[in-house]
Amino acid sequence: MTETTANAMWGGRFAAGPDAIMEAINASIGFDKRLAKQDIEGSRAHAAMLAATGILSDSDVAAIREGLLTVLSEIEGGGFQFSTALEDIHMNVEARLKQVIGEPAGRLHTARSRNDQVATDFRLWVRDQADAAIQGLEALMRALLRQAEQGADWVMPGFTHLQTAQPVTWGHHMMAYVEMLARDRSRFADARARMNESPLGAAALAGTSFPIDRHMTAAALGFDRPMANSLDAVSDRDFALEFLAAASICAMHLSRFAEELVIWSSAQFRFVRLSDRFSTGSSIMPQKKNPDAAELIRAKIGRILGANVALLTVMKGLPLTYSKDMQEDKEQVFDAADTLMLALAAMEGMVRDMTANREALEQAAGSGFSTATDLADWLVRVLGLPFREAHHVTGTLVAMAEQAGVDLPELSLAQMQSVHPGITQDIFAVLGVHNSVASRTSYGGTAPAQVRAQIARWKEMLP
């Protein structure tokens, strides 16, 4: 009986094989071939355990482990022929292994199922992606640190509602993203720690009667321990969901920064100049330099968050343990991981190459009456006014300056004293933007000394 009339994988249970439509919807090899390295790594660990426990002979296992390396070499070399008739990466590898080493290949699947096999492969792959995301985040954090160190005392406007609020420093703004990305890094690290348990040996769902050593295979694959419940081991996809959740938050942070770069690089702001490597031109407007990389990063959150929602939706109604629905768990995660790594690399390149316009930043820092809060604080600190009264006095002075078409430091002492007679010449010492940022010395504040302290802390903490 050929595979066109019966499927050898399913044994004697089915008299007829799947038709073309069933084969197309059932096959996952088109995407899960990305798990080849992890699949072969897991199989080699499983085979070694089968020999150590006496379940298989040493000679069979030696042939299996060597043959698996041959198969991996063929896959990595691009010469491997994948077959949709064999459904997935597991059966493609096993079929080729049989061609390479013969009869011992059929013993490899002893004491395991494709259910625990795919759960192990996928967990290993997502673990690798968590490690890659951490490395990408650290590279971006180092690029931000370099920007922050260069402009630790450069003044710029701080915004609320995208309106000028108070002066801050360029270094302080860069360090805000270092803190955000550090939390992203910790989320990936936390998710990695939770996912680092091995499903291998749970078999189809109930464990196995063979005297396997799950602790041995867990250790061989770099897991901390085997999963403690076989039902949970084959049905859990929390590890992928946690990865997607962390990736979604990280992509959101990248999107926020990308939006700022789009705004800052505009002719209206001129805060930064992005390098030509991360910009494009216009087909009809020769003057244009478009921040396309930033705009694309800004959009990537849609794909990554979409993957998160998609997998949550797949998993939300599934009874224990395995259902074929779970074959839909990988494509979204593969795409989200690829998208995140590309966005991190592009953002790191943009930050590394971009040039901040110190003059434009400083000019903008003093606009919009950005030192009004400093004036109010002085009224409280020096004259002892209640803050609400100081707020009212300051608001009146802002209105006066606005009507006169000047900024607060350009009002005369006489004009200020017409609003509150207690104001003295000392008020002008707090109204300059440099004085303003220098005064914000509270922990985590924008004062250059505080910014430099945070830069030093992160330079020491980052590998």
Side-chain angles (χ1 to χ4, degrees), residues 400-420:
M400 179 185 292
E402 189 172 33
Q403 186 175 7
V406 298
D407 201 1
L408 284 172
E410 297 171 281
L411 290 174
S412 68
L413 179 60
Q415 287 173 305
M416 291 190 180
Q417 289 175 335
S418 70
V419 176
H420 194 286

Side-chain angles (χ1 to χ4, degrees), residues 7-38:
N7 193 308
M9 256 191 311
W10 301 339
R13 171 65 180 84
F14 293 85
D19 66 17
I21 294 174
M22 182 58 196
E23 183 176 292
I25 196 172
N26 195 50
S28 60
I29 189 61
F31 51 86
D32 71 12
K33 60 187 177 184
R34 292 187 67 164
L35 299 176
K37 175 179 176 291
Q38 289 78 17

Side-chain angles (χ1 to χ4, degrees), residues 274-338:
L274 300 178
S275 75
D276 292 348
R277 297 200 311 142
F278 294 96
S279 306
T280 64
S282 165
S283 61
I284 64 170
M285 295 172 284
Q287 83 281 10
K288 294 291 293 300
K289 184 177 180 180
N290 299 323
D292 281 10
E295 291 172 355
L296 289 165
I297 291 171
R298 186 173 59 184
K300 295 300 183 185
I301 175 68
R303 289 172 66 166
I304 295 172
L305 179 59
N308 194 10
V309 173
L311 185 53
L312 280 167
T313 305
V314 167
M315 296 300 299
K316 72 169 184 64
L318 298 186
L320 297 181
T321 56
Y322 183 83
S323 298
K324 196 68 171 183
D325 311 50
M326 293 168 71
Q327 185 167 291
E328 295 296 313
D329 60 358
K330 297 172 194 65
E331 286 181 282
Q332 294 92 343
V333 180
F334 291 162
D335 183 72
D338 292 345

Side-chain angles (χ1 to χ4, degrees), residues 376-377 379-380 384-396:
D377 288 347
L379 293 172
V380 172
L385 270 61
F387 184 80
R388 288 302 170 200
E389 182 180 347
H391 188 282
H392 177 75
V393 170
T394 302
T396 303

Side-chain angles (χ1 to χ4, degrees), residues 363-401:
Q363 183 179 1
S367 65
F369 311 106
S370 65
T371 56
T373 306
D374 298 279
L375 194 156
D377 288 347
W378 185 91
L379 293 172
V380 172
R381 188 172 59 251
V382 177
L383 301 187
L385 270 61
F387 184 80
R388 288 302 170 200
E389 182 180 347
H391 188 282
H392 177 75
V393 170
T394 302
T396 303
L397 289 170
V398 167
M400 179 185 292

Side-chain angles (χ1 to χ4, degrees), residues 204-218:
L205 75 161
T208 178
S209 59
F210 288 95
I212 62 172
D213 184 347
R214 294 189 63 207
H215 289 85
M216 178 181 173
T217 51

